[in-house]
Amino acid sequence: MVPALSYPPALLLKAQGIRVAFFDVDGVLTDGGLYFTETGESIKRFHTLDGHGLKLLQRAGIVPAIITGRDSLALRNRLAALGVVHAHFGTEDKGPAAQRTLRELGLDWSQAAAMGDDWPDLAMMRHCAFSCAPSNAHAEVKALADHVTTEHGGHGAVRAFCDLLLVASGRYAGLFEDAIR
């Protein structure tokens, strides 16, 4: 079988060489809604396609890293289940947080991609070699992004971004082949 996904060559060239991908959470990994129980506990809804995309990035040697303005046990549990180890919680200053992760990994901005949906993500996205936004992101974020997914945040947008990075890295076809064996 031949993979069904294809992208414009210029987009793939722009996304080549990515070694770390930064992700916001609310509005990217989730639908952006804030859900609270009667006791005030925060709960989140995650999409399984997005989770599998993060796992595929790891298999391809691309490090997923989370930078979020909030913190919750639900998020920490989800990231642990996915094996995501690089995360910054409770930070609105996402550019410096991403820079710290790059230093830890021995990488630079030319090897980084980011996905965000609102103004706190702009500094991080602007510095990266490649940036992406879900289709329901704020207009200024979509204008800055190199690519806007057709999917909404929390509804497969992260997976679409991961797939694009995997195709650009040359690893998508091999991972797909492994899946259909």
Side-chain angles (χ1 to χ4, degrees):
M1 286 183 73
V2 176
L5 286 179
S6 66
Y7 299 95
L11 187 64
L12 293 175
L13 284 172
K14 179 106 173 117
Q16 281 185 344
I18 298 301
R19 304 274 314 281
V20 60
F22 296 108
F23 297 89
D24 176 40
V25 174
D26 293 318
V28 174
L29 273 169
T30 74
D31 63 9
L34 299 176
Y35 303 93
F36 296 96
T37 66
E38 296 95 23
T39 61
E41 180 185 6
S42 173
I43 57 174
K44 297 194 179 287
R45 177 196 165 278
F46 299 97
H47 200 293
T48 59
L49 285 176
D50 294 337
H52 190 67
L54 295 175
K55 287 189 206 178
L56 290 171
L57 282 186
Q58 292 170 340
R59 287 181 53 197
I62 299 172
V63 176
I66 303 300
I67 302 179
T68 179
R70 296 185 179 275
D71 191 0
S72 73
L73 183 57
L75 173 60
R76 287 180 183 260
N77 287 339
R78 181 65 176 145
L79 295 179
L82 296 171
V84 175
V85 297
H86 296 280
H88 299 270
F89 303 98
T91 181
E92 291 293 323
D93 205 3
K94 295 182 181 185
Q99 181 65 53
R100 284 192 299 278
T101 299
L102 290 171
R103 247 190 328 271
E104 288 172 16
L105 296 171
L107 301 173
D108 61 48
W109 290 109
S110 70
Q111 298 166 297
M115 185 174 208
D117 72 314
D118 206 349
W119 288 17
D121 306 316
L122 288 170
M124 172 180 69
M125 292 173 67
R126 186 177 65 82
H127 286 95
C128 287
F130 189 77
S131 63
C132 186
S135 60
N136 61 327
H138 188 277
E140 300 299 345
V141 176
K142 291 193 287 188
L144 175 82
D146 296 302
H147 179 69
V148 177
T149 67
T150 58
E151 298 80 6
H152 280 26
H155 294 276
V158 166
R159 176 57 181 273
F161 181 44
C162 292
D163 286 345
L164 171 56
L165 294 177
L166 291 168
V167 171
S169 75
R171 298 289 312 273
Y172 185 89
L175 291 166
F176 178 69
E177 187 67 30
D178 289 347
I180 62 172
R181 283 188 192 159

